[in-house]
Amino acid sequence: GDYLKRPMGDDDDVPRYIQTVVAAVRADDWDRAGQDIEKLDKAYRIVVKRIQFSVERDALEGMALSIARAKGMIEARDKAGALAQMYEAEAHWGDLGR
């Protein structure tokens, strides 16, 4: 799982997109945060296809739920909630493949 999580292009770099979302939320740039969370979601869906058979299904779902919740928080412009969800997503990402 760990090897397959690594980016294989520009559109599947999940850790980078997590950081860009966090930076946008911290800067209260909600339009950019909305665009970046969509990029994160797309990148995660690409990676899931590679790792789905080598990691726990619960871990995959946890990451997907964190992204979905973050989308809602960003839409509501809830800075604390969005940051919390992104840090949770980051933790899930770290746990995938362990």
Side-chain angles (χ1 to χ4, degrees):
D2 243 7
Y3 174 75
L4 296 173
K5 284 179 14 181
R6 294 183 187 157
M8 296 185 179
D10 288 335
D11 61 344
D12 66 345
D13 191 344
V14 171
R16 180 182 62 149
Y17 287 126
I18 289 172
Q19 293 306 313
T20 61
V21 172
V22 167
V25 169
R26 282 186 179 153
D28 292 318
D29 188 346
W30 298 107
D31 291 333
R32 192 176 97 218
Q35 292 169 359
D36 288 345
I37 194 75
E38 291 300 328
K39 290 177 185 175
L40 171 60
D41 189 30
K42 181 180 175 187
Y44 182 65
R45 290 174 194 267
I46 292 169
V47 174
V48 163
K49 291 176 185 174
R50 293 195 303 255
I51 65 173
Q52 64 184 334
F53 299 112
S54 61
V55 298
E56 294 287 328
R57 184 163 180 85
D58 289 344
L60 292 174
E61 290 175 3
M63 178 77 175
L65 284 173
S66 292
I67 292 171
R69 288 184 192 122
K71 284 182 181 183
M73 300 289 182
I74 289 168
E75 186 176 326
R77 297 179 181 220
D78 178 350
K79 188 174 190 173
L83 288 173
Q85 289 304 315
M86 292 314 303
Y87 288 125
E88 183 175 313
E90 190 171 52
H92 282 300
W93 181 253
D95 290 341
L96 286 175
R98 286 189 182 186

